[in-house]
Amino acid sequence: QVQLVESGGGLVQPGGSLRLSCAASGFYLDDYAIGWFRQAPGKEREGVSCISNSDGSAAYADSVKGRFIISRDNVKNTVYLEMNSLKPEDTAVYYCNVANQVIARNYWGQGTQVTVSS
């Protein structure tokens, strides 16, 4: 069974840090470019970051550039998102999925809630 399980979210104060994990089963993450996405209440899901499976290059949304770092561990079949200098506007449910949206549409998981508040 193909499954993506996000974890690591929680409540953090502005300026704090969290590291999210995305554990895959049923397929190998190193076969795909993997993205992190987020959805805030009342808003559309948006892309946050993406990491390639070819050269390890990464891309970031302007809103998180310089604050977030995406990485992958192919041995553990896990992708991470390190989030620093968190802002209240980062509050959302965070998801991971393959960057190919034709494939991704079938495999959205539960996500993990990140709340940034004092």
Side-chain angles (χ1 to χ4, degrees):
Q1 181 179 351
V2 173
Q3 191 171 30
L4 292 159
V5 180
E6 301 91 345
S7 63
L11 175 64
V12 63
Q13 295 187 65
S17 299
L18 285 173
R19 189 179 75 158
L20 307 184
S21 297
C22 171
S25 60
F27 71 103
Y28 292 110
L29 283 174
D30 64 356
D31 287 336
Y32 304 90
I34 304 297
W36 281 96
F37 308 82
R38 67 186 182 187
Q39 187 168 26
K43 294 187 176 182
E44 297 287 335
R45 183 169 54 234
E46 63 176 347
V48 175
S49 182
C50 182
I51 186 167
S52 78
N53 64 316
S54 56
D55 60 3
S57 61
Y60 300 90
D62 288 342
S63 59
V64 307
K65 193 172 298 181
R67 299 188 296 120
F68 291 11
I69 302 171
I70 188 171
S71 62
R72 68 196 307 160
D73 186 330
N74 291 333
V75 174
K76 295 181 179 179
N77 210 29
T78 301
V79 175
Y80 304 94
L81 183 68
E82 182 177 342
M83 306 185 296
N84 303 299
S85 301
L86 283 162
K87 305 175 180 179
E89 51 263 45
D90 295 318
T91 296
V93 178
Y94 284 71
Y95 304 86
C96 65
N97 214 328
V98 298
N100 185 323
Q101 293 302 291
V102 175
I103 300 173
R105 62 185 297 179
N106 300 304
Y107 300 110
W108 293 106
Q110 297 299 306
T112 185
Q113 176 72 51
V114 173
T115 302
V116 184
S117 177
S118 60

